[in-house]
């Protein structure tokens, strides 16, 4: 599954098309210290070979950064990193709580 997600992300990023493409991830994140699990939806949209937008649970963050393997952003004081190669979510609420989880690709 991990290789398939990484291949899908890289394939989307390398295709130069006029129509935007969207990758939707479903991330099951366990938050500590409460030990509660939330399913988070992440939508990543490419416009040609450029990442054009990110939405998390329907919210658009003010900014995001991307490198070859991961994406980083923040929403509501939660600093979020998604490792696209390992299909992993990690996040931190300014040191007060943290989250970790697996991300799966949603069917289009």
């Amino acid at each position: 599954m991990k290789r398939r997600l990484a291949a899908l992300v890289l394939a989307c990023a390398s295709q130069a098309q006029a129509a935007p493409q969207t990758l939707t991830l479903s991330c099951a994140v366990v938050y500590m210290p409460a030990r509660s699990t939330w399913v988070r939806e992440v939508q990543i949209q490419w416009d040609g070979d450029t990442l054009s937008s990110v939405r998390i649970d329907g919210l658009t963050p003010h900014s995001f950064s991307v490198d070859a393997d991961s994406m980083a952003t923040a929403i509501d004081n939660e600093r979020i990193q998604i490792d696209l190669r390992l299909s992993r979510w990690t996040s931190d609420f300014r040191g007060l709580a943290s989250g970790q989880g697996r991300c799966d690709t949603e069917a289009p």
Side-chain angles (χ1 to χ4, degrees):
M1 177 64 190
K2 293 176 186 177
R3 288 184 183 153
R4 186 172 52 178
L5 175 63
L8 179 59
V9 169
L10 293 174
C12 288
S14 66
Q15 293 178 0
Q17 294 181 348
Q21 293 183 317
T22 302
L23 172 66
T24 302
L25 304 173
S26 177
C27 301
V29 182
V30 177
Y31 287 98
M32 299 298 277
R35 297 184 184 191
S36 61
T37 302
W38 289 25
V39 177
R40 310 292 302 267
E41 182 184 81
V42 179
Q43 293 179 320
I44 303 169
Q45 188 172 45
W46 278 270
D47 187 9
D49 60 354
T50 304
L51 184 72
S52 60
S53 71
V54 174
R55 293 179 63 82
I56 298 176
D57 297 334
L59 301 173
T60 303
H62 292 289
S63 65
F64 56 88
S65 63
V66 178
D67 65 23
D69 297 334
S70 64
M71 178 193 69
T73 191
I75 290 184
D76 295 335
N77 289 322
E78 181 180 13
R79 294 177 290 200
I80 302 165
Q81 289 189 322
I82 300 174
D83 187 317
L84 298 170
R85 291 219 185 263
L86 298 176
S87 306
R88 299 289 300 169
W89 168 296
T90 56
S91 61
D92 179 75
F93 283 97
R94 308 288 183 208
L96 300 174
S98 63
Q100 292 187 41
R102 180 187 88 240
C103 296
D104 295 316
T105 306
E106 293 271 312

